[in-house]
Structures are given as structure tokens and as C-alpha cells.
Amino acid sequence: MYKLFYFIVAFAMLTSCGKKEKSTEDFSTGTTSGETTEAAATSSTYDPNRGIGKFTTVDLGDKLDVAMAAEGEKIQSVKCSACHKLTDEKLVGPGWKGVTSRQKPEWIMNFITNPDAMIDKDPKLQALLEICLVRMPNQSLNDADARNVLEFMRKNDGVK
């Protein structure tokens, strides 16, 4: 029974991985910056507050952007819900409840867009990997999609 479950989860993760898209909007500065470079996305400098990646600052604003959260919810239902519950309960990966109060927005954005380098360097993620036993796959979300997912996470955590 467990073999079937793990096969289904693995199949879902493999089929949900899409083609990597290039972004033209940089949410770290709020400006258009051209195509995302792989070197920027895989910077080896580790910062426990922001992780590894190109996002050094993410301006969230005081209020929830309802339209972005709605787009993020669509992405979550397709790419994330097979492994993550919206509660604090673990499914394959950890639940999302409270993630925006535990992690800075830059860390979340860098993890969503650069999970492999983050898992390799971040001690918190390495500890979670020992519990979950499955690496988060790179879902190849562009910057705008990642920002929409972050906004949905904020909504899930009660930001209005």
C-alpha cells in the first residue's frame, strides 16, 4: 500500500514540473530587468534570513493583494497541493500554516525559485529533509508566479 502511495506522489511531482520560464519582472527591486540569469538564481552566498538566490528584498505592502493571492491559489492547487497542506499538518512536505511568520519573504521567494541550492545550504531545510525524506522539486515558477504564491501564503496566514 505504501509503495503505491509513494509511486503516486512521485508521479504527481514529476508531472507537475513544468518548463522553466524566463522572467522579465524583478520583484526584488520592483523593476523590469530582462531575462533571469541562472548565475543569479544559484548564487552560492548563504544568508539565513534570505536564503540563496536573487531576491534580496521583497516589498509586500501593508495589505494583501487579493488578485495576486487568487493567482497564487490557482498555482498552489496545481503545483503545491499534492505535497503541502494549508494547515500545519505534514503531508509529503511541511504544512504551510504560519510559514510567512517563520520565514522572511526573501527566503520564501528564493526557496520557491531556487529549491535545490537552498536545500543544499540551509540547515533548517536539511533538518526538514530528514523528516520529510523527499526533496522539494523545482517547479520552475517564474518570479511573478512565485510572488503570487507568496501572496497566497500570506492570505492563508490571515493577512487581509
Side-chain angles (χ1 to χ4, degrees):
M1 181 67 177
Y2 285 106
K3 288 181 183 179
L4 178 61
F5 172 75
Y6 288 120
F7 175 77
I8 292 170
V9 169
F11 181 77
M13 286 193 299
L14 289 173
T15 58
S16 67
C17 296
K19 180 181 175 188
K20 187 166 187 163
E21 297 179 27
K22 297 191 177 185
S23 174
T24 57
E25 191 166 356
D26 182 357
F27 283 100
S28 64
T29 62
T31 61
T32 300
S33 64
E35 293 184 350
T36 302
T37 64
E38 193 65 30
T42 59
S43 169
S44 62
T45 306
Y46 174 73
D47 179 343
N49 292 313
R50 71 171 187 87
I52 298 172
K54 66 181 176 181
F55 296 99
T56 56
T57 59
V58 177
D59 183 22
L60 298 177
D62 294 332
K63 294 189 177 194
L64 184 75
D65 185 316
V66 177
M68 287 177 73
E71 287 300 312
E73 186 170 12
K74 291 176 190 174
I75 296 163
Q76 181 274 340
S77 69
V78 172
K79 297 227 177 205
C80 311
S81 64
C83 297
H84 299 282
K85 289 190 175 192
L86 298 179
T87 65
D88 57 0
E89 185 180 357
K90 176 186 164 294
L91 186 57
V92 174
W96 280 10
K97 181 101 174 130
V99 70
T100 60
S101 61
R102 291 189 306 271
Q103 301 295 345
K104 295 200 177 289
E106 296 81 12
W107 189 96
I108 294 170
M109 290 287 291
N110 282 324
F111 184 49
I112 290 171
T113 59
N114 193 27
D116 295 320
M118 289 277 291
I119 293 169
D120 291 342
K121 297 278 185 178
D122 191 294
K124 292 180 269 187
L125 290 173
Q126 291 169 355
L128 273 175
L129 181 58
E130 289 183 20
I131 294 167
C132 298
L133 304 175
V134 176
R135 289 176 70 95
M136 181 169 130
N138 188 336
Q139 296 293 336
S140 299
L141 296 180
N142 63 35
D143 296 350
D145 287 345
R147 180 61 181 89
N148 290 337
V149 169
L150 173 58
E151 201 66 7
F152 175 67
M153 289 175 165
R154 293 179 69 215
K155 178 182 176 188
N156 188 58
D157 285 342
V159 174
K160 301 207 185 260

Coordinates of all heavy atoms in Angstrom, one line a residue, residues 8-18 20 75 78-84 92-94 96 108-119 125 129 132-141 149:
I8 N 2.5 7.2 -6.5 CA 1.6 8.2 -6.9 C 2.1 9.6 -6.6 O 2.1 10.5 -7.4 CB 0.2 8.0 -6.2 CG1 -0.5 6.8 -6.8 CG2 -0.7 9.2 -6.4 CD1 -1.7 6.3 -6.1
V9 N 2.7 9.8 -5.4 CA 3.3 11.1 -5.0 C 4.5 11.4 -6.0 O 4.6 12.5 -6.5 CB 3.8 11.1 -3.6 CG1 4.6 12.3 -3.3 CG2 2.6 11.0 -2.6
A10 N 5.3 10.4 -6.3 CA 6.4 10.7 -7.1 C 6.0 11.0 -8.5 O 6.5 12.0 -9.2 CB 7.4 9.5 -7.2
F11 N 5.0 10.3 -9.0 CA 4.4 10.6 -10.3 C 3.8 12.0 -10.4 O 4.0 12.8 -11.3 CB 3.3 9.6 -10.7 CG 2.7 9.8 -12.0 CD1 3.4 9.5 -13.2 CD2 1.4 10.4 -12.2 CE1 2.8 9.7 -14.4 CE2 0.9 10.6 -13.4 CZ 1.6 10.3 -14.5
A12 N 3.1 12.4 -9.3 CA 2.5 13.7 -9.3 C 3.6 14.8 -9.3 O 3.4 15.8 -10.0 CB 1.6 13.9 -8.0
M13 N 4.6 14.6 -8.6 CA 5.7 15.6 -8.5 C 6.4 15.7 -9.9 O 6.7 16.8 -10.3 CB 6.7 15.3 -7.4 CG 6.2 15.5 -6.0 SD 7.4 15.5 -4.8 CE 8.0 13.9 -4.9
L14 N 6.6 14.6 -10.5 CA 7.3 14.6 -11.8 C 6.5 15.2 -12.9 O 7.0 16.0 -13.7 CB 7.7 13.2 -12.2 CG 8.9 12.6 -11.4 CD1 9.1 11.1 -11.8 CD2 10.1 13.4 -11.6
T15 N 5.2 15.0 -12.9 CA 4.3 15.5 -13.9 C 3.9 17.0 -13.7 O 3.5 17.7 -14.6 CB 3.0 14.7 -14.1 OG1 2.3 14.7 -12.8 CG2 3.3 13.3 -14.6
S16 N 4.1 17.4 -12.4 CA 3.7 18.8 -12.2 C 4.9 19.8 -12.5 O 4.7 21.0 -12.5 CB 3.3 19.0 -10.7 OG 4.4 18.8 -9.8
C17 N 6.1 19.2 -12.7 CA 7.2 20.1 -13.0 C 7.1 20.6 -14.5 O 6.9 19.8 -15.4 CB 8.5 19.3 -12.9 SG 8.8 18.8 -11.2
G18 N 7.1 21.9 -14.6 CA 6.9 22.4 -16.0 C 8.2 22.9 -16.5 O 9.2 22.9 -15.9
K20 N 10.9 25.5 -17.5 CA 11.4 26.7 -16.8 C 11.2 27.9 -17.7 O 11.6 27.9 -18.9 CB 12.9 26.6 -16.5 CG 13.4 27.7 -15.7 CD 14.7 27.4 -15.1 CE 15.1 28.6 -14.1 NZ 16.1 28.2 -13.2
I75 N -2.1 28.5 -8.7 CA -0.8 27.8 -8.9 C -0.6 26.8 -7.7 O -0.2 25.6 -8.0 CB 0.4 28.8 -8.8 CG1 0.2 29.8 -10.0 CG2 1.7 28.1 -8.8 CD1 1.0 31.0 -9.9
V78 N -2.4 23.5 -8.4 CA -1.8 22.6 -9.4 C -0.4 22.1 -9.0 O -0.1 20.9 -9.2 CB -1.7 23.4 -10.7 CG1 -1.0 22.6 -11.8 CG2 -3.1 23.8 -11.2
K79 N 0.4 23.0 -8.5 CA 1.8 22.6 -8.3 C 2.2 22.3 -6.9 O 3.3 21.6 -6.7 CB 2.7 23.8 -8.8 CG 2.5 24.1 -10.2 CD 3.9 24.2 -10.9 CE 3.7 24.5 -12.4 NZ 4.9 24.0 -13.1
C80 N 1.4 22.6 -5.9 CA 1.9 22.5 -4.5 C 1.0 21.6 -3.6 O 1.5 21.0 -2.7 CB 1.9 23.9 -3.8 SG 2.8 25.2 -4.8
S81 N -0.3 21.5 -3.9 CA -1.2 20.8 -3.0 C -1.0 19.3 -2.9 O -1.5 18.7 -2.0 CB -2.7 21.1 -3.5 OG -2.9 20.6 -4.7
A82 N -0.3 18.7 -3.9 CA 0.0 17.3 -3.8 C 0.9 17.0 -2.6 O 0.9 15.9 -2.1 CB 0.6 16.8 -5.1
C83 N 1.7 18.0 -2.2 CA 2.7 17.7 -1.1 C 2.5 18.6 0.1 O 3.0 18.2 1.2 CB 4.1 18.0 -1.7 SG 4.6 16.9 -3.0
H84 N 1.8 19.7 0.0 CA 1.6 20.6 1.1 C 0.2 20.9 1.5 O -0.6 21.2 0.6 CB 2.3 21.9 0.8 CG 3.7 21.9 0.5 ND1 4.7 21.7 1.5 CD2 4.4 21.9 -0.6 CE1 5.9 21.7 1.0 NE2 5.7 21.8 -0.3
V92 N 3.4 15.3 2.4 CA 4.8 14.9 1.9 C 5.8 15.9 2.5 O 6.8 15.6 3.0 CB 4.8 14.8 0.4 CG1 6.2 14.4 -0.1 CG2 3.9 13.7 -0.1
G93 N 5.4 17.2 2.2 CA 6.2 18.3 2.8 C 5.5 18.9 3.9 O 4.4 18.5 4.2
P94 N 6.1 19.9 4.6 CA 5.5 20.5 5.7 C 4.3 21.3 5.3 O 4.2 21.8 4.2 CB 6.6 21.4 6.3 CG 7.5 21.6 5.1 CD 7.4 20.4 4.3
W96 N 1.7 24.6 5.3 CA 2.0 26.0 5.1 C 1.6 27.0 6.2 O 2.0 28.1 6.2 CB 1.4 26.4 3.8 CG 2.2 26.0 2.5 CD1 3.2 25.2 2.5 CD2 1.9 26.4 1.2 NE1 3.6 25.0 1.2 CE2 2.9 25.8 0.4 CE3 1.0 27.3 0.6 CZ2 2.9 26.0 -1.0 CZ3 1.0 27.5 -0.7 CH2 2.0 26.8 -1.5
I108 N 11.4 32.9 1.4 CA 10.4 32.2 0.7 C 10.5 32.3 -0.8 O 10.4 31.2 -1.5 CB 9.0 32.6 1.2 CG1 8.8 32.3 2.7 CG2 7.9 32.0 0.4 CD1 7.6 32.9 3.3
M109 N 10.7 33.5 -1.3 CA 10.8 33.6 -2.8 C 12.1 32.9 -3.3 O 12.0 32.3 -4.4 CB 10.9 35.1 -3.1 CG 9.7 35.9 -2.9 SD 8.4 35.6 -4.2 CE 9.1 36.3 -5.6
N110 N 13.2 33.0 -2.6 CA 14.4 32.3 -3.0 C 14.2 30.8 -3.0 O 14.7 30.1 -3.9 CB 15.6 32.7 -2.2 CG 16.1 34.1 -2.7 OD1 16.1 34.4 -3.8 ND2 16.6 34.9 -1.7
F111 N 13.5 30.3 -2.0 CA 13.2 28.8 -1.9 C 12.3 28.4 -3.0 O 12.5 27.3 -3.6 CB 12.7 28.5 -0.5 CG 12.5 27.0 -0.3 CD1 13.5 26.1 -0.7 CD2 11.3 26.5 0.2 CE1 13.4 24.7 -0.5 CE2 11.2 25.1 0.3 CZ 12.2 24.2 0.0
I112 N 11.3 29.1 -3.3 CA 10.3 28.7 -4.3 C 11.0 28.7 -5.7 O 10.8 27.7 -6.5 CB 9.1 29.7 -4.4 CG1 8.2 29.6 -3.2 CG2 8.3 29.5 -5.7 CD1 7.1 30.6 -3.1
T113 N 11.9 29.6 -5.9 CA 12.5 29.7 -7.3 C 13.9 29.0 -7.3 O 14.4 28.8 -8.4 CB 12.7 31.2 -7.7 OG1 13.5 31.8 -6.7 CG2 11.4 31.9 -7.8
N114 N 14.4 28.6 -6.2 CA 15.8 28.0 -6.2 C 15.9 26.9 -5.1 O 16.8 27.0 -4.2 CB 16.8 29.2 -5.9 CG 18.2 28.8 -6.2 OD1 18.5 28.0 -7.0 ND2 19.1 29.5 -5.5
P115 N 15.0 25.9 -5.1 CA 15.0 25.0 -4.0 C 16.2 24.1 -3.9 O 16.6 23.8 -2.8 CB 13.7 24.1 -4.3 CG 13.5 24.2 -5.8 CD 14.0 25.6 -6.1
D116 N 16.8 23.7 -5.0 CA 18.0 22.8 -4.9 C 19.2 23.5 -4.1 O 19.7 22.8 -3.2 CB 18.4 22.4 -6.3 CG 17.4 21.6 -7.0 OD1 16.8 20.7 -6.3 OD2 17.2 21.8 -8.2
A117 N 19.5 24.7 -4.5 CA 20.6 25.3 -3.8 C 20.3 25.6 -2.3 O 21.1 25.5 -1.5 CB 21.0 26.6 -4.5
M118 N 19.0 26.0 -2.1 CA 18.6 26.3 -0.7 C 18.7 25.0 0.1 O 19.2 25.0 1.2 CB 17.2 26.8 -0.7 CG 17.0 28.2 -1.3 SD 17.4 29.5 -0.1 CE 16.0 29.3 1.0
I119 N 18.2 23.9 -0.4 CA 18.2 22.6 0.4 C 19.7 22.2 0.7 O 20.0 21.7 1.8 CB 17.4 21.5 -0.3 CG1 15.9 21.8 -0.4 CG2 17.7 20.2 0.3 CD1 15.1 20.9 -1.3
L125 N 16.3 23.6 6.2 CA 15.8 22.8 5.1 C 16.4 21.4 5.2 O 15.7 20.4 4.9 CB 16.0 23.4 3.8 CG 15.2 24.7 3.5 CD1 15.6 25.3 2.2 CD2 13.7 24.3 3.5
L129 N 14.3 18.0 5.5 CA 14.5 16.9 4.6 C 14.7 15.5 5.3 O 14.2 14.5 4.9 CB 15.8 17.1 3.7 CG 16.1 16.1 2.7 CD1 14.9 15.9 1.7 CD2 17.4 16.5 1.9
C132 N 11.0 14.8 6.2 CA 10.1 14.6 5.1 C 10.6 13.5 4.1 O 9.8 12.9 3.4 CB 9.8 15.9 4.3 SG 9.0 17.1 5.3
L133 N 11.9 13.4 4.1 CA 12.5 12.3 3.2 C 12.4 12.6 1.7 O 12.8 11.7 0.9 CB 12.0 10.9 3.6 CG 12.2 10.5 5.0 CD1 11.6 9.2 5.3 CD2 13.7 10.5 5.5
V134 N 11.8 13.7 1.3 CA 11.7 14.0 -0.1 C 12.1 15.4 -0.4 O 11.6 16.3 0.3 CB 10.2 13.8 -0.6 CG1 10.0 14.2 -2.0 CG2 9.7 12.4 -0.3
R135 N 13.0 15.6 -1.3 CA 13.4 17.0 -1.7 C 12.3 17.7 -2.4 O 11.6 17.1 -3.2 CB 14.6 17.0 -2.6 CG 15.9 16.6 -1.9 CD 17.0 16.5 -2.9 NE 17.5 17.8 -3.4 CZ 18.5 18.5 -2.9 NH1 19.1 18.0 -1.8 NH2 18.8 19.6 -3.4
M136 N 12.1 18.9 -2.1 CA 11.1 19.7 -2.9 C 11.6 19.8 -4.3 O 12.7 20.3 -4.6 CB 10.9 21.1 -2.3 CG 9.8 21.9 -3.1 SD 9.4 23.4 -2.2 CE 9.5 24.6 -3.5
P137 N 10.8 19.4 -5.3 CA 11.3 19.6 -6.7 C 11.2 21.0 -7.1 O 10.4 21.8 -6.6 CB 10.3 18.7 -7.5 CG 9.0 18.7 -6.6 CD 9.5 18.8 -5.2
N138 N 12.0 21.4 -8.1 CA 12.0 22.7 -8.7 C 10.8 22.7 -9.6 O 10.7 22.1 -10.6 CB 13.3 23.0 -9.4 CG 13.3 24.4 -9.9 OD1 12.3 25.1 -10.0 ND2 14.5 24.9 -10.1
Q139 N 9.8 23.5 -9.2 CA 8.5 23.6 -10.0 C 8.7 24.6 -11.2 O 7.7 24.9 -11.9 CB 7.4 24.1 -9.1 CG 7.0 23.0 -8.1 CD 6.5 21.8 -8.6 OE1 6.0 21.7 -9.7 NE2 6.6 20.7 -7.9
S140 N 9.9 25.2 -11.3 CA 10.2 26.1 -12.4 C 9.2 27.3 -12.5 O 8.7 27.7 -13.6 CB 10.2 25.4 -13.8 OG 11.2 24.4 -13.7
L141 N 8.9 27.8 -11.4 CA 8.0 29.0 -11.4 C 8.8 30.2 -11.7 O 9.9 30.4 -11.3 CB 7.3 29.2 -10.0 CG 6.4 28.1 -9.5 CD1 5.9 28.4 -8.1 CD2 5.3 27.9 -10.5
V149 N 2.3 33.1 -5.4 CA 2.2 32.0 -4.4 C 2.5 32.6 -3.0 O 1.8 32.2 -2.0 CB 3.2 30.8 -4.7 CG1 3.3 29.8 -3.5 CG2 2.7 30.1 -6.0

